[in-house]
Amino acid sequence: MDFILEPLIRVILIALDLYMYIVIASVIASWLVAFGVINTYNSTVRTILDVIYRLTEPALRPIRRMMPDLGSVDLSPIVLWLIILFVEMLLGKALRLVMMS
């Protein structure tokens, strides 16, 4: 069982790391759109923004519903980051336990 569990945990950790970068890209893209740096009329830019939105919104929406309304300040990406870091720590601990046995 260990020969399956160890690579599985490692792949999940890599996927979580990649997702953290996607969340960062989402935050930066939203800032660039808000400040008018990115032209959203460009179809390529619009497609990239749509992909980022579709990847992050399912995770951010429930967090936004639970958080109090802070006006235009959105702290849900920070909360998502903390959740991902917590899960990574748990999986890292599980990986160390699997490697020890």
Side-chain angles (χ1 to χ4, degrees):
M1 186 68 171
D2 291 346
F3 67 94
I4 293 175
L5 199 55
E6 181 182 346
L8 179 65
I9 292 173
R10 288 186 190 274
V11 167
I12 293 171
L13 285 170
I14 291 170
L16 287 172
D17 280 340
L18 289 174
Y19 195 71
M20 285 177 62
Y21 289 118
I22 293 170
V23 171
I24 291 172
S26 171
V27 170
I28 292 172
S30 70
W31 288 345
L32 293 176
V33 168
F35 293 124
V37 176
I38 293 180
N39 181 8
T40 56
Y41 296 111
N42 184 329
S43 64
T44 305
V45 171
R46 193 172 43 246
T47 302
I48 292 169
L49 292 176
D50 186 51
V51 168
I52 291 172
Y53 177 81
R54 289 175 187 250
L55 287 172
T56 57
E57 194 58 27
L60 292 173
R61 190 179 308 121
I63 296 170
R64 286 188 187 119
R65 272 190 252 138
M66 292 187 320
M67 292 185 61
D69 185 20
L70 299 174
S72 62
V73 178
D74 184 17
L75 298 178
S76 59
I78 296 171
V79 174
L80 180 59
W81 249 66
L82 293 173
I83 292 169
I84 291 171
L85 286 173
F86 178 74
V87 170
E88 282 184 343
M89 286 183 218
L90 289 176
L91 287 173
K93 181 77 170 175
L95 182 63
R96 284 189 294 277
L97 290 174
V98 166
M99 291 177 67
M100 285 178 22
S101 62

